[in-house]
Amino acid sequence: MNSIKKYLALMLVIGNFIIPNLQAQDDLEIKKVFDQYGEKKGVIMVELSSEMLEDYDFTLFKSITIKNNPPAADFIRKCLSKDEIGAKKVKHVVSNGIPTTIYLQLPRKGDAFRLILFNESLKPELKNTLIYIESKNDSEEALKLIIKKK
Amino acid sequence: MRLKFRYKLTYEQADKLIEKYYEGCTTVEEEKRLHGFLSQVNLPAKYKSEQTIFGYFNERKNIKSFQIPGYLRWTAVIAILFIGAFSFQVFTSNNKQNYAYINGEKISDIKVIKTHALASLSDLTNSKNEMEESIKNLNNNNIIEQQLEVFSEIK
C-alpha cells in the first residue's frame, strides 16, 4: 500500500513536468496536414513561436499554404470537419457545396486560446491556406490583432 | 573470458570432500568449493566443527553488510525521474523553433519567415470587413435567434 502511494506520488511529479509540454495542437486533426504536406513541393509552411510574435501576442503561429493540390484541399476539409466537433464556428462560407472559408474557435486547452483559420481561393490559382494560432489572449483579441496588423 | 559454473554441493559430496580434506588430498579448487559450502547459513550442526576450521564464523563477523536505506533508494529514483523530466522539457522547448519550409526547403531567416507568415494571413481574406464581421460572430450568442427571425417574417 505504501509503495503504491509512493508510485502515485512519482507519477504526479512526472505528470506535472511532462503534460504541460505536450503541445496543445497534438489533439487536432489539422496537425496531420502540417505533418503530411509541410515539407512538400508547392507548399509553404511557417511556424513561429512566442518570442517572434510579440506584436501579435500569440504564443504559436503555424500556417501552411498549398497551391494547386485538390487532394490536399480535400484532406484539409476532412480534418477540419473533425476538429469542428466541439469548436465554435466563427465563420463558415460554403461555395458550390464546398466549404471555402472556415474560422474555428477551439475549446481552450490549458492557458491556450486556439483558433483555426482556413481559406480556399480559386483565382488566379487554387490556393489553400490553413492557419493555427495559439494565444494567451481571447480568440477575439487575436482576430482583432490580425486585422490591425494587416 | 572464462565462465565458471558453480553448483551446490550435496551433503554427500560435501562429506566426501571433508573426508578428503582431512586426508590432505583436496585440491585448491575442491577446498574452494568446500569453503563455499560451509559458508552457507543453516547447515546441519554436524558441520559446525568444519565451519570453525574454515573460519566461517570469524569471516561472518568481519563482513560488514551494506544496505542502501529505502528512503535513499526512493530519493535516487525521484532524482533520476526529475532529470529525465527536465531533459524532456528542455528537448521539447528546443523544438519550438521559428522556421519555414518553402517547397521542402527549410528556411531559418526570420525576415523571410515573417513575410510568409504575414502573406498567409493576408491570404485568409482580402476584405477587412469580412474579418471584422467574423469577430462579431465570435461573441454573438444571439446569432441563432437573428437567423430564425428571417423565417418569422415569412408569411
Side-chain angles (χ1 to χ4, degrees):
Chain A
M1 192 67 191
N2 203 20
S3 62
I4 292 169
K5 277 181 189 172
K6 281 176 186 172
Y7 179 76
L8 287 173
L10 273 177
M11 288 297 112
L12 204 71
V13 170
I14 300 164
N16 275 338
F17 266 86
I18 294 171
I19 291 165
N21 282 295
L22 294 174
Q23 291 175 313
Q25 53 177 317
D26 286 348
D27 64 331
L28 299 174
E29 284 295 309
I30 56 153
K31 188 180 180 291
K32 291 178 186 170
V33 178
F34 291 100
D35 291 343
Q36 277 188 36
Y37 291 96
E39 294 172 29
K40 293 211 167 153
K41 282 202 169 182
V43 176
I44 297 172
M45 180 171 75
V46 174
E47 180 169 337
L48 283 166
S49 55
S50 44
E51 66 267 28
M52 292 297 155
L53 295 163
E54 282 170 357
D55 298 344
Y56 284 94
D57 247 357
F58 300 158
T59 49
L60 180 69
F61 176 94
K62 276 186 97 169
S63 74
I64 188 163
T65 308
I66 305 171
K67 285 180 186 172
N68 300 317
N69 194 336
D74 291 338
F75 184 66
I76 295 172
R77 272 187 277 268
K78 201 176 154 189
C79 292
L80 284 169
S81 66
K82 287 180 184 168
D83 288 336
E84 269 177 10
I85 302 162
K88 187 172 180 178
K89 275 185 200 174
V90 180
K91 186 173 181 178
H92 194 92
V93 179
V94 179
S95 174
N96 296 322
I98 298 166
T100 52
T101 304
I102 301 169
Y103 295 176
L104 295 176
Q105 185 188 32
L106 298 164
R108 202 174 152 183
K109 194 165 188 187
D111 292 340
F113 287 95
R114 304 177 299 163
L115 272 174
I116 295 176
L117 311 169
F118 166 74
N119 185 64
E120 180 176 270
S121 60
L122 297 166
K123 287 176 185 175
E125 57 189 341
L126 174 66
K127 187 155 83 172
N128 293 95
T129 307
L130 178 70
I131 297 176
Y132 171 75
I133 295 168
E134 275 176 28
S135 166
K136 280 183 180 169
N137 289 329
D138 196 351
S139 307
E140 187 181 355
E141 292 298 316
L143 279 174
K144 274 180 185 171
L145 273 164
I146 293 170
I147 296 170
K148 273 184 199 169
K149 301 284 175 183
K150 268 184 82 176
Chain B
M1 205 172 90
R2 248 178 87 189
L3 287 174
K4 277 186 180 177
F5 294 97
R6 292 183 68 185
Y7 58 92
K8 244 182 168 181
L9 283 176
T10 60
Y11 292 137
E12 248 177 60
Q13 287 172 322
D15 289 341
K16 275 181 189 171
L17 273 182
I18 288 165
E19 209 177 299
K20 213 175 164 186
Y21 175 76
Y22 285 131
E23 286 167 3
C25 300
T26 46
T27 61
V28 179
E29 187 59 36
E30 283 170 333
E31 278 174 32
K32 272 184 189 172
R33 286 173 66 197
L34 202 55
H35 185 269
F37 171 79
L38 292 167
S39 43
Q40 288 179 96
V41 193
N42 301 328
L43 276 182
K46 66 172 184 174
Y47 294 110
K48 250 187 186 173
S49 54
E50 281 78 25
Q51 280 184 313
T52 318
I53 292 165
F54 276 82
Y56 169 69
F57 292 118
N58 291 336
E59 252 180 56
R60 289 283 293 174
K61 275 177 198 168
N62 291 335
I63 294 168
K64 283 179 184 172
S65 61
F66 180 74
Q67 263 194 324
I68 303 166
Y71 73 90
L72 214 63
R73 254 181 285 168
W74 277 103
T75 315
V77 170
I78 290 168
I80 291 164
L81 289 171
F82 260 106
I83 292 164
F86 182 73
S87 312
F88 181 81
Q89 198 174 29
V90 169
F91 175 73
T92 50
S93 63
N94 282 347
N95 275 352
K96 277 191 173 179
Q97 291 171 345
N98 301 297
Y99 62 84
Y101 274 95
I102 301 167
N103 292 319
E105 196 188 331
K106 194 173 183 177
I107 309 284
S108 52
D109 185 342
I110 200 66
K111 277 185 186 171
V112 178
I113 299 167
K114 277 193 167 180
T115 308
H116 283 290
L118 289 170
S120 62
L121 278 173
S122 61
D123 281 345
L124 274 177
T125 173
N126 294 321
S127 159
K128 202 173 171 176
N129 293 337
E130 244 181 88
M131 189 75 95
E132 278 172 352
E133 252 178 57
S134 304
I135 293 170
K136 280 177 197 167
N137 288 342
L138 253 177
N139 289 325
N140 192 353
N141 294 323
N142 299 324
I143 195 157
I144 298 168
E145 285 172 26
Q146 282 174 13
Q147 285 171 343
L148 286 171
E149 269 175 30
V150 178
F151 294 99
S152 65
E153 285 165 12
I154 300 168
K155 287 179 184 175

